[in-house]
Each structure stands twice: as C-alpha cells, then as structure tokens.
Amino acid sequence: MPIRLPLAVAAAMALAVPWARAQDANLARNLAATCANCHGTNGNVRGKDVKPLAGVAAEKILAQIADFKSGAQPATIMHQIAKGYTDEQLKLIAAYFAAQKPAP
C-alpha cells in the first residue's frame, strides 16, 4: 500500500530538494573560494607554478587531495589544507571545480 502524505508535507518536500541543491552549490562555491589564492578564481590559475583545477574530473582532484593528505604527494601547504576539510566538503569542492570551464 503506497504511503500517502498530506499535501503540505509533499509540497514542502518538493521544495526542499531544489533548495538543498542550491545550498550545496553555494556551499561548494564558498568552500572552493578558499582555493582561489593559489589556483585562481573558479580554478583557472594564471601562473605555471600551480595546477589549474577548472574542468579536472572530480575523481582526479579527490585522488590528488588524498595523496596530499597521506603524504604520498609532497607539498608546501596542500597537505595541511587538505586535512582541514571533511570528505563531504572535499567532494563538494572537487565537483565544483570539475564543473568549471577551463580558461582558453
């Protein structure tokens, strides 16, 4: 037997999903903004000393961050920065940069 929800509950749930997605998008953008000093706005770095993140697959970004966290990849600051985020926050950041367009 299907579960029947009161109309107000069903409407609230329908509105909550887009709101939650918007909140995740805002959170992802805000978390990723902390990377802008080195990796450039939206992951498009201007220099050649730091890798750009825009358009890089989220899985690749997460793998690189895991290497920084574990010490497998040497770093000056990334090993400390990577340890400051939860796994969920890192997934949001990686997804944000993967969705950005690389600079021409």
Side-chain angles (χ1 to χ4, degrees), residues 3 5 7-8 22 36 39 43 47 57 69 71-72 74 82 89 95 101-102:
I3 298 173
L5 297 173
L7 185 57
H39 292 280
K69 275 181 144 180
Q89 289 172 326
K101 293 185 179 184

Side-chain angles (χ1 to χ4, degrees), residues 4 6 12 18-19 23 25-27 29 36 44 49 51 55 67 70 73 75 89 100 102-104:
R4 295 184 184 253
W19 181 84
Q23 292 302 103
N26 288 335
L27 178 58
R29 185 195 66 226
N44 287 303
D49 295 333
K51 294 180 181 180
D67 287 345
S70 71
Q73 176 70 28
Q89 289 172 326
Q100 302 306 304

Side-chain angles (χ1 to χ4, degrees), residues 1-81:
M1 177 176 226
I3 298 173
R4 295 184 184 253
L5 297 173
L7 185 57
V9 173
M13 290 174 66
L15 292 174
V17 171
W19 181 84
R21 285 190 191 128
Q23 292 302 103
D24 280 352
N26 288 335
L27 178 58
R29 185 195 66 226
N30 292 343
L31 290 169
T34 63
C35 307
N37 284 336
C38 298
H39 292 280
T41 303
N42 297 327
N44 287 303
V45 69
R46 291 186 179 221
K48 297 192 186 280
D49 295 333
V50 178
K51 294 180 181 180
L53 297 175
V56 176
E59 296 80 18
K60 184 174 180 180
I61 293 171
L62 290 171
Q64 290 173 339
I65 291 172
D67 287 345
F68 286 125
K69 275 181 144 180
S70 71
Q73 176 70 28
T76 56
I77 191 75
M78 274 305 300
H79 61 291
Q80 295 172 345
I81 292 172

